[in-house]
Amino acid sequence: MVSIITINYNGYKDTCELIDSIRKHETYPYEIIVVDNSPAKDEALQLKSDYPDATIIWPGQNSGFAGGNNIGYGHSAGEYILFVNNDVVINGPFLETLVNRMQSSSAIGAVSPKIKYEDHRDIIQYAGYTPMNPIRISNRKIGTNQIDHGQYDQAVPTAFIHGACMFTSRKVLERAGLMTEIYFLFYEELDWSLQLQRAGYQTWFEPAVSVFHKESMTIKRGTPLRLYYLTRSRILFTRRNYKTFFKALALSYLLFIVIPKNILLYGIRNEKEMLAAFMKGSFHGLKDNIKETHV
């Protein structure tokens, strides 16, 4: 059985569309677990009423992306685990293909399928990730915004899985551990991919099935809140995951190039809220306590 875990945060309509698409198309045995991070209990109660066969959890606070998924895992019973965003939908069975990929090699720790845009279903969002540049702390998604002509239809190891849809097993989680909760938003799946690789596992891209992603329905692009978490998480990721030499280079690049450049740009544009969010994110990224790990 697969335990399908998703997080709801004031996204009742999207969560329902995800569950309905799974119930309509999926044939492999599964259970659905929804962790409702919403501040009020209304949507959790409505989801319980609408989907009595699903497990609906309301922690009473926003536990973030990793925290919510970890709570969901604590209530799961499946041999396999799917962490999936609530702004994803499917249009056909896909769990068995992911199970088969995991079973094809004991070296595989997690798999992400091909991800396409929900509003343009022939356009790729994710067909794997390039490795992280250890100085700029930047990488890119492979295939993004390309029309899908089958050019990425070979299953391959990839540098990182995609947080919108991550498939793993209980056995892997028991050995490699759950996602760290220090980020709250962004970079969790990148950090976890490195954590899996340090435990001796590979992360894979599986193109035999696709899911469709609405993209950033929870936190809108171009907002101070999004900028704050992206900035903070980028610095935390650097501090957590690189040894002394590359950490020094990466932090120097951030401190002496990225941060001054962005302060200047937001100042010139008179984007006061974005400037404040960027500076706050930078400060917290440099200051907040972390548990050090290294690649």
Side-chain angles (χ1 to χ4, degrees):
M1 182 175 70
V2 176
S3 295
I4 301 174
I5 301 170
T6 193
I7 297 172
N8 180 70
Y9 181 81
N10 295 331
Y12 170 80
K13 180 175 180 290
D14 293 312
T15 301
C16 290
E17 289 178 2
L18 167 64
I19 296 174
D20 290 344
S21 71
I22 293 170
R23 293 173 70 173
K24 179 179 179 180
H25 297 291
E26 191 51 64
T27 57
Y28 196 88
Y30 66 85
E31 64 173 354
I32 292 177
I33 300 169
V34 180
V35 180
D36 185 11
N37 273 345
S38 304
K41 200 174 183 179
D42 304 37
E43 292 192 355
L45 293 173
Q46 188 61 55
L47 287 166
K48 282 186 179 181
S49 174
D50 293 343
Y51 303 100
D53 54 340
T55 300
I56 313 297
I57 305 159
W58 185 65
Q61 62 181 7
N62 188 347
S63 305
F65 177 79
N69 279 315
N70 291 345
I71 289 171
Y73 174 73
H75 289 78
S76 67
E79 177 184 1
Y80 295 97
I81 310 295
L82 177 73
F83 299 111
V84 60
N85 281 11
N86 74 324
D87 61 348
V88 163
V89 293
I90 66 170
N91 70 344
F94 74 121
L95 292 178
E96 186 172 5
T97 299
L98 298 177
V99 169
N100 289 340
R101 177 55 58 195
M102 284 289 298
Q103 291 179 344
S104 69
S105 171
S106 60
I108 298 176
V111 182
S112 283
K114 185 185 292 181
I115 301 174
K116 301 183 188 180
Y117 293 103
E118 196 273 339
D119 56 349
H120 293 90
R121 292 193 169 192
D122 60 337
I123 303 295
I124 297 169
Q125 181 188 20
Y126 167 88
Y129 264 116
T130 63
M132 187 73 69
N133 181 295
I135 299 174
R136 296 196 306 270
I137 311 300
S138 62
N139 68 334
R140 64 178 179 83
K141 292 191 287 288
I142 297 168
T144 300
N145 294 327
Q146 296 181 24
I147 297 176
D148 186 8
H149 295 300
Q151 66 270 45
Y152 300 108
D153 277 1
Q154 181 177 354
V156 291
T158 187
F160 302 97
I161 49 178
H162 194 293
C165 191
M166 305 182 293
F167 191 85
T168 187
S169 72
R170 186 172 302 276
K171 180 180 178 181
V172 168
L173 289 169
E174 288 174 350
R175 175 179 170 184
L178 299 172
M179 287 179 279
T180 179
E181 299 181 15
I182 67 165
Y183 295 102
F184 193 77
L185 285 174
F186 303 122
Y187 280 77
E188 294 96 337
E189 74 272 27
L190 304 181
D191 189 289
W192 190 49
S193 293
L194 295 183
Q195 181 177 319
L196 291 170
Q197 291 161 23
R198 285 193 294 271
Y201 291 111
Q202 298 173 345
T203 48
W204 273 65
F205 162 65
E206 174 54 74
V209 287
S210 300
V211 299
F212 302 95
H213 190 201
K214 299 172 189 175
E215 178 65 13
S216 298
M217 300 299 290
T218 303
I219 280 198
K220 301 299 182 184
R221 291 185 176 274
T223 64
L225 185 63
R226 182 183 177 91
L227 178 62
Y228 166 78
Y229 280 114
L230 279 171
T231 303
R232 174 181 177 271
S233 294
R234 183 183 184 186
I235 297 173
L236 290 177
F237 179 86
T238 304
R239 292 173 58 202
R240 265 180 58 83
N241 288 291
Y242 290 91
K243 293 181 180 179
T244 305
F245 177 71
F246 281 112
K247 182 187 295 185
L249 286 178
L251 288 177
S252 296
Y253 176 75
L254 290 168
L255 284 169
F256 299 115
I257 297 179
V258 175
I259 292 176
K261 175 186 174 183
N262 280 280
I263 289 174
L264 180 63
L265 287 175
Y266 290 125
I268 290 173
R269 296 170 184 164
N270 198 31
E271 297 178 358
K272 295 179 181 178
E273 291 186 355
M274 297 294 279
L275 175 60
F278 178 77
M279 293 182 67
K280 184 178 178 182
S282 299
F283 176 74
H284 287 170
L286 293 166
K287 166 185 169 293
D288 288 353
N289 291 328
I290 59 171
K291 180 180 179 182
E292 297 286 347
T293 58
H294 303 294
V295 297

